[in-house]
Amino acid sequence: MSVRPAFHLAVPVDDLGRARAFYGGVLGLAEGRSAPSWVDWNFHGHQVVTHLVPGARAEAGRNPVDGHEVPVPHFGLVLDVAGFHELAGRLRAAGTEFVIEPYQRFAGEPGEQWTMFLHDPAGNALEFKAFRDESQLFAI
């Protein structure tokens, strides 16, 4: 039994082949069930479903945070620091264009973390982050 409940998130994509190449190939997620109009992904124990919605674009706007324009809405994971840097390297090797390049925030302060933002091929924004101390996830 999981300590944390798993979340389920469905996102629109305009091409399931490109979604498979990104989520399965670049991010390395295991594919679950699928149908001609959707694919389940094992998002580190969570269920993310890419649903075919031709012409859909996901980003609604941007919000200024730390001098960066953060895409809204976005979703992602909190990884450990080694996993964060491994993923950043894999994304760079795949030629991923970052919305916000991987960088460290709050160095030496509560909530010290690494973060990066990118889009999937359909324009869904993702954020991956890693805390030096994950107990600081909600630090004030």
Side-chain angles (χ1 to χ4, degrees), residues 12-15 18-19 22-23 53 56-59 119-125:
V13 298
D14 54 2
D15 183 318
R18 287 177 41 204
F22 178 76
Y23 287 95
V53 181
R57 296 311 290 174
E59 188 174 313
H119 287 117
D120 74 5
N124 296 296

Side-chain angles (χ1 to χ4, degrees), residues 16 19-21 23-24 28-35 38-42:
L16 285 177
R20 280 187 164 102
Y23 287 95
L29 304 180
E31 184 173 327
R33 292 175 301 227
S34 67
W38 56 267
V39 178
D40 280 346
W41 299 101
N42 181 344

Side-chain angles (χ1 to χ4, degrees), residues 61-136:
R62 304 250 172 157
N63 189 4
V65 177
D66 278 353
H68 297 278
E69 292 295 315
V70 171
V72 179
H74 63 265
F75 70 97
L77 289 172
V78 176
L79 304 168
D80 62 34
V81 174
F84 175 90
H85 290 292
E86 186 276 325
L87 177 59
R90 191 172 26 187
L91 291 164
R92 283 188 176 110
T96 301
E97 182 177 326
F98 291 95
V99 174
I100 300 173
E101 290 278 340
Y103 79 104
Q104 187 178 35
R105 301 175 63 199
F106 311 125
E109 300 177 27
E112 179 180 316
Q113 64 189 267
W114 287 88
T115 187
M116 61 179 150
F117 287 83
L118 55 128
H119 287 117
D120 74 5
N124 296 296
L126 292 93
E127 177 186 17
F128 294 95
K129 56 173 57 180
F131 285 80
R132 180 177 50 83
D133 175 357
E134 194 174 328
S135 73
Q136 296 286 303

